Amino acid sequence: MARRDSAYVKLNEFNFGKVKGGSLDVHPTEKALIVQYELEATILGEMGDPMVGERKECQKIIRLKSLNANTDIASLARKVVEECRLIHPSKLPEVEQLLFYLLNRKKSDKREKHSPRDLAPFEGLELDEEANINRIDHYVELLYEDIPEKVRGATLILHLARNPDNLEELLQNETALGALARVLREDWKQSVDLATTIIYVFFCFSSFSQFHGQVTHYKIGALCMNIIEHELKRYDLWQDELQKKANQNVKKEHEKAFKKYQGLLIKQEQLLRVALHLLLNLAEDTRTELKMRNKNIVHTLVKTLDREDEELLVLVVSFLKKLSIFLENKNDMAETYAVEKLARLLPCKHEDLLNTTLRLLLNLSFDTGLRSQMVQAGLIPKLSSLLADESQRQLCMCILYHISVDDRFKSMFAYTDCIPQLMKMLFDCGESPMDPELISFCINLAANKRNAQVICEGNGLKMLMKRGLKLKDVLTMKMIRNVSQHDGPTKNLFIDYVGDLAAQTGVEEREEYVIECLGTLANLTIPDLDWELVLKEYNLVPFLKDRLKPGSAEDDLILEVVIMIGTVSMDGSCAAMMAKSGIISALIELLNAQQEDDEFVCQIVYVFYKMVFHQATRDVIIKDTQAPAYLIDLMHDKNAEIRKVCDNTLDIIAEYDEEWGRKIQSEKFRWHNSQWLEMVDNRAMGDDGEPFMYGDDGEPFMHNGDILERRDLFYSADGIIPADSTISPEFFIDYQNGDMGQQDNALNPCNSYFSFQMDEGEGREGRRNR
């Protein structure tokens, strides 16, 4: 066989075990065959008998360096089969076929394969020779030369590493990896190109999770953190120097410095890009990510957001997005005002950068403080304008939805084009289901008065009512209900729809849908609305009474019924209808059942407040029910709103009924002077026989009597009122109402109820002398 027909075949000798298999394939990028086989290791037992040991999957690469157009394929195939014991002679035709394929494979098949997470090639990777894995030892030797040769050697190794098929073989060459790590550690400050190239080699390994251990072994991650921090400081120095040149007003020097700065900046951003990408890959392990955080990775990334290179920014924002899912990292972003720097990236023409930035903002928008930063950075109008971009609409809407949750920011949407766009989206849905994010956002916005006015502009309310009533859409009705709660012109627009809403209270309707319709009706506190006609025409009184029974429906529906009764009770004739139907007793029964629920209690008390304004219902409440007694019990409730409504209601009752007025005033006196009364009670029950505790007849003051009947214990401006009982609690009531003459000026007018506060350090003797 001629020399030109031969091929270099390197075979391993196996002196033990059995070889099974021997399947053939071609190498994806080189002129080589791949032999897949299984090795069974044979070991000797205790008696010397052979035993089958561990099985291992192996592959053999047969490189055919001299394969070219002049090669005799048949002769080369025989040579390969003869010299490679892993290939059975019966596979000779298959070997010929594979060799023929390798010879005629298109050049496009030889291109390097890159990881999906690989970086784009950058300046400095060009070479005048093709890297060969067989010359790796020579490339390692170049790493011991001067800087230019080191750069060349590292670049040749990088070309090999960018092919994933070479990574395992390179990984086994500890000398090469150790030399690369040493050169990077010692010489990275001397050459940006050298540092970038070597980090790129390790980046190729970091693109695969199974190689992260080796990258960590050489401490490349920590070294990259130091390099990035140093380069950011250099960037600040460049900026300062450039600013000084500009301030000196020397145009030529400034232009020269600016050109130099541009060249340095390009190389530095290449270095930052590959180093940060390597760190991003290593951060797949949360333990490694925690180490990065301890080295202030978040602060470093936020500082890098000032750059202009879009590819670098995509990487930085992606890294921040990954980090943002952890509370500590999110807090770091809040402290470094990352939102302000992200805001300048919106909007932008770079699709990936725009999308990644919005995703990061979405992660951050779950935090209340960061939402405030977003508003301060002017993101509401920016995000509103991006709603027109269909590819980014969903992300923008979710961020804006989170912002709209805070009542402080709802009004800001009225001064953008956000609401008109949302209304158009709603109407474009037709009768098809709406995106939950869209309708939820609209529901939040409708809770603001100015937003509600914008929503109702044109035919907005009409279209919403049409959709809500026709499709029985609960969420649309919830939005309408929010619109209806605002006083002003928007509320009057609902007069045309009162009948339609009242008609939705049928038994066959879904309960959650009825809740929204009833809630909308309850919001319509319009003086000109004839509620009596509505109640009669749609027979609502029996419906309302039936729903007041505890357990007759869900609590939400019962609560809306109570609110509805309060609304219609503004009308005297409607209040009389309610009283006549027995609804007041039903309300008291419901109050007993729901006494632990503050919302129920407050709304029921409010109904009583509305009803006592009318003579007919006031008489029923005062004379036929125990409602005043319940109100007195609630007068000192821990809920401030309940106390306020109770006080107002009791004041009206006291004004119209003298008996209840005395009881109410007495209870108020007890409450305001409870500490003093307790002190007097404690003295009366004491064991020591002090003269102060007994009257002239030797009987105790508190013996079988009410403290309020002991008028000689009340205080005047000068001390204890004389025992002739010339001043009584009624006196104080008259004083409060202003029905007093000039002779009463001796009393202290500072308080309508005279409270006595004991000093904690005051002893028994001091209390007696007072």
Side-chain angles (χ1 to χ4, degrees), residues 182-219:
R182 177 188 59 78
V183 171
L184 178 62
R185 190 160 40 250
E186 295 176 357
D187 299 331
W188 66 267
K189 289 185 179 180
Q190 299 183 36
S191 171
V192 175
D193 290 336
L194 179 62
T196 304
T197 305
I198 295 177
I199 293 174
Y200 205 148
V201 173
F202 284 102
F203 161 77
C204 294
F205 287 99
S206 73
S207 296
F208 299 92
S209 300
Q210 61 265 38
F211 300 142
H212 285 185
Q214 285 75 9
V215 178
T216 305
H217 171 72
Y218 292 104
K219 299 182 179 179

Side-chain angles (χ1 to χ4, degrees), residues 565-576 579 584 604-622 631 644-656:
I565 293 171
T567 299
V568 300
S569 294
M570 294 187 303
D571 186 293
S573 56
C574 291
I584 296 177
I604 293 172
V605 173
Y606 181 75
V607 172
F608 293 151
Y609 172 72
K610 286 293 184 182
M611 287 186 169
V612 295
F613 277 99
H614 312 294
Q615 178 67 42
T617 48
R618 183 169 58 244
D619 291 342
V620 173
I621 289 175
I622 294 174
L631 293 174
K644 180 179 177 181
V645 180
C646 275
D647 284 342
N648 293 335
T649 309
L650 289 171
D651 287 346
I652 298 173
I653 292 175
E655 182 179 350
Y656 287 96

Side-chain angles (χ1 to χ4, degrees), residues 102-116:
L102 283 173
L103 181 62
N104 295 281
R105 183 165 56 181
K106 294 181 180 180
K107 291 184 178 180
S108 59
D109 290 340
K110 291 179 61 179
R111 65 189 176 191
E112 294 178 336
K113 298 192 299 183
H114 303 296
S115 165

Side-chain angles (χ1 to χ4, degrees), residues 354-465:
L354 177 60
N355 185 267
T356 308
T357 303
L358 290 174
R359 290 183 182 277
L360 171 57
L361 288 171
L362 177 59
N363 283 1
L364 299 179
S365 67
F366 287 89
D367 181 87
T368 305
L370 285 167
R371 288 201 297 269
S372 298
Q373 290 187 20
M374 291 179 191
V375 174
Q376 293 170 5
L379 278 178
I380 288 181
K382 288 186 175 184
L383 293 170
S384 297
S385 64
L386 286 171
L387 289 173
D389 185 350
E390 197 168 334
S391 59
Q392 311 298 343
R393 179 179 297 165
Q394 193 75 4
L395 287 171
C396 293
M397 195 177 300
C398 290
I399 300 170
L400 290 172
Y401 166 76
H402 285 163
I403 294 175
S404 71
V405 170
D406 197 318
D407 290 336
R408 295 174 298 165
F409 309 136
K410 284 184 172 72
S411 61
M412 298 182 181
F413 290 90
Y415 305 101
T416 68
D417 62 344
C418 178
I419 296 176
Q421 290 191 71
L422 295 176
M423 295 300 290
K424 184 178 183 304
M425 294 177 205
L426 283 177
F427 300 149
D428 288 345
C429 290
E431 296 185 4
S432 59
M434 291 180 291
D435 291 335
E437 295 84 4
L438 171 60
I439 187 60
S440 300
F441 186 20
C442 291
I443 289 170
N444 281 358
L445 293 181
N448 175 266
K449 184 175 182 179
R450 178 65 188 127
N451 291 341
Q453 292 173 356
V454 178
I455 289 171
C456 292
E457 287 178 357
N459 293 323
L461 181 59
K462 180 180 179 180
M463 298 296 291
L464 287 173
M465 290 296 301

Side-chain angles (χ1 to χ4, degrees), residues 484-615:
S484 69
Q485 69 183 336
H486 306 293
D487 294 326
T490 53
K491 188 164 287 191
N492 292 324
L493 296 176
F494 283 87
I495 293 178
D496 296 335
Y497 305 105
V498 170
D500 294 326
L501 292 168
Q504 307 303 312
T505 57
V507 180
E508 69 279 359
E509 299 295 349
R510 287 183 300 162
E511 199 166 86
E512 58 267 27
Y513 177 69
V514 175
I515 288 173
E516 302 306 330
C517 294
L518 203 58
T520 305
L521 282 173
N523 286 335
L524 303 183
T525 52
I526 305 172
D528 298 333
L529 186 57
D530 189 350
W531 278 115
E532 183 181 9
L533 179 62
V534 175
L535 292 178
K536 290 179 178 179
E537 184 173 347
Y538 295 96
N539 198 28
L540 289 181
V541 174
F543 169 82
L544 297 175
K545 184 180 179 182
D546 290 342
R547 295 301 182 279
L548 286 177
K549 296 176 183 177
S552 61
E554 291 291 332
D555 284 353
D556 288 342
L557 179 56
I558 298 175
L559 183 61
E560 291 305 326
V561 168
V562 174
I563 297 172
M564 179 69 179
I565 293 171
T567 299
V568 300
S569 294
M570 294 187 303
D571 186 293
S573 56
C574 291
M577 289 175 62
M578 299 291 172
K580 188 176 179 181
S581 67
I583 278 181
I584 296 177
S585 300
L587 286 171
I588 293 175
E589 183 182 349
L590 181 63
L591 180 61
N592 281 327
Q594 299 287 352
Q595 57 185 331
E596 299 298 326
D597 191 318
D598 284 359
E599 183 67 20
F600 264 102
V601 173
C602 191
Q603 294 297 342
I604 293 172
V605 173
Y606 181 75
V607 172
F608 293 151
Y609 172 72
K610 286 293 184 182
M611 287 186 169
V612 295
F613 277 99
H614 312 294
Q615 178 67 42

Side-chain angles (χ1 to χ4, degrees), residues 161-421:
R162 293 186 71 207
N163 181 356
D165 295 320
N166 292 330
L167 290 178
E168 288 196 18
E169 195 162 343
L170 286 172
L171 198 65
Q172 295 172 6
N173 194 328
E174 294 184 4
T175 303
L177 294 181
L180 286 169
R182 177 188 59 78
V183 171
L184 178 62
R185 190 160 40 250
E186 295 176 357
D187 299 331
W188 66 267
K189 289 185 179 180
Q190 299 183 36
S191 171
V192 175
D193 290 336
L194 179 62
T196 304
T197 305
I198 295 177
I199 293 174
Y200 205 148
V201 173
F202 284 102
F203 161 77
C204 294
F205 287 99
S206 73
S207 296
F208 299 92
S209 300
Q210 61 265 38
F211 300 142
H212 285 185
Q214 285 75 9
V215 178
T216 305
H217 171 72
Y218 292 104
K219 299 182 179 179
I220 301 301
L223 191 53
C224 283
M225 290 286 293
N226 294 335
I227 292 172
I228 292 169
E229 185 178 351
H230 176 79
E231 291 300 325
L232 292 179
K233 291 179 180 178
R234 286 181 64 192
Y235 175 77
D236 292 337
L237 291 175
W238 295 343
Q239 294 281 71
D240 293 341
E241 290 177 8
L242 202 61
Q243 188 63 40
K244 289 178 182 178
K245 296 286 185 182
N247 294 337
Q248 292 173 0
N249 293 324
V250 182
K251 188 175 180 181
K252 282 189 176 180
E253 289 188 12
H254 179 262
E255 289 180 355
K256 183 178 179 181
F258 184 74
K259 287 182 180 179
K260 180 181 178 181
Y261 163 77
Q262 291 286 72
L264 292 172
L265 189 62
I266 290 173
K267 289 195 173 186
Q268 187 188 67
E269 288 179 342
Q270 290 175 351
L271 173 59
L272 291 175
R273 203 174 69 193
V274 67
L276 287 172
H277 212 148
L278 182 144
L279 292 175
L280 177 58
N281 288 348
L282 294 180
E284 287 181 355
D285 186 342
T286 53
R287 292 170 298 180
T288 304
E289 183 178 315
L290 180 59
K291 293 179 182 178
M292 295 181 190
R293 184 193 174 271
N294 293 336
K295 288 181 173 289
N296 289 326
I297 184 67
V298 173
H299 294 73
T300 301
L301 292 170
V302 172
K303 192 174 182 180
T304 314
L305 287 174
D306 294 328
R307 300 303 184 101
E308 299 296 331
D309 182 81
E310 291 180 335
E311 294 299 329
L312 176 61
L313 288 172
V314 170
L315 178 61
V316 171
V317 176
S318 298
F319 207 155
L320 286 171
K321 180 172 71 72
K322 182 185 185 306
L323 295 170
S324 67
I325 64 176
F326 291 100
L327 177 65
E328 297 82 2
N329 297 330
K330 182 265 297 178
N331 292 338
D332 287 346
M333 292 178 204
E335 292 175 4
T336 53
Y337 296 97
V339 169
E340 291 183 9
K341 297 189 176 184
L342 292 170
R344 77 175 186 88
L345 304 179
L346 299 179
C348 67
K349 295 182 180 179
H350 196 288
E351 193 76 14
D352 290 340
L353 179 58
L354 177 60
N355 185 267
T356 308
T357 303
L358 290 174
R359 290 183 182 277
L360 171 57
L361 288 171
L362 177 59
N363 283 1
L364 299 179
S365 67
F366 287 89
D367 181 87
T368 305
L370 285 167
R371 288 201 297 269
S372 298
Q373 290 187 20
M374 291 179 191
V375 174
Q376 293 170 5
L379 278 178
I380 288 181
K382 288 186 175 184
L383 293 170
S384 297
S385 64
L386 286 171
L387 289 173
D389 185 350
E390 197 168 334
S391 59
Q392 311 298 343
R393 179 179 297 165
Q394 193 75 4
L395 287 171
C396 293
M397 195 177 300
C398 290
I399 300 170
L400 290 172
Y401 166 76
H402 285 163
I403 294 175
S404 71
V405 170
D406 197 318
D407 290 336
R408 295 174 298 165
F409 309 136
K410 284 184 172 72
S411 61
M412 298 182 181
F413 290 90
Y415 305 101
T416 68
D417 62 344
C418 178
I419 296 176
Q421 290 191 71

